[in-house]
Amino acid sequence: MKERYLKASEIIRMMEDSGREQMEREHPSVDELLDDNIALMVNRFDLKVLKPIEDDANITSLTWPCPSEKATLYRNNSLKINGKYVAFSCSNWSLVNYKTRRILKIKEVDF
């Protein structure tokens, strides 16, 4: 049987999903932002994969926001398998009013 490894896009999706789940618990959720005409826009996403990740691995995804400034929201993510790190990411996001196309300052939204 041929082993299958996760693609970079699948790893990024897993990391983004864990961030979305955290926002659902801690607010504002993505839906709450959208209700206020606000969208999150990724500006930069740096990914480092330490070793290939098999698609059936038991993965733990960790995510946390970092102190943000002006119009940039920072978030870090990591993936672990059996307690060992296998991937890291750092990302920069902006909040955008999608109706006016105005970029918002982070302090304009209550995180």
Side-chain angles (χ1 to χ4, degrees):
M1 185 168 150
K2 187 176 181 180
E3 292 181 8
R4 184 174 156 339
Y5 296 98
L6 295 178
K7 299 175 189 172
S9 61
E10 294 168 316
I11 295 169
I12 291 169
R13 185 176 308 118
M14 187 179 301
M15 291 177 166
E16 287 177 345
D17 287 346
S18 66
R20 185 175 296 108
E21 288 175 20
Q22 182 188 36
M23 288 181 68
E24 291 291 330
R25 289 189 307 273
E26 297 181 14
H27 301 281
S29 69
V30 173
D31 289 336
E32 290 169 337
L33 290 174
L34 291 173
D35 289 344
D36 291 333
N37 302 321
I38 298 171
L40 282 164
M41 178 178 67
V42 67
N43 298 327
R44 181 181 182 113
F45 199 102
D46 295 320
L47 175 66
K48 181 174 186 174
V49 179
L50 303 177
K51 67 178 202 170
I53 302 171
E54 294 179 16
D55 67 346
D56 62 349
N58 186 9
I59 300 169
T60 301
S61 181
L62 307 165
T63 184
W64 59 97
C66 298
S68 300
E69 57 188 23
K70 299 181 183 175
T72 305
L73 178 70
Y74 300 102
R75 178 171 285 282
N76 289 336
N77 296 278
S78 64
L79 298 180
K80 285 183 172 183
I81 297 176
N82 298 324
K84 295 184 180 181
Y85 290 101
V86 293
F88 299 95
S89 75
C90 298
S91 55
N92 301 347
W93 301 78
S94 293
L95 295 167
V96 179
N97 182 309
Y98 61 82
K99 289 197 174 189
T100 65
R101 298 182 185 221
R102 180 176 157 261
I103 294 177
L104 306 172
K105 291 184 180 176
I106 298 304
K107 65 183 178 184
E108 292 182 57
V109 176
D110 183 20
F111 281 94

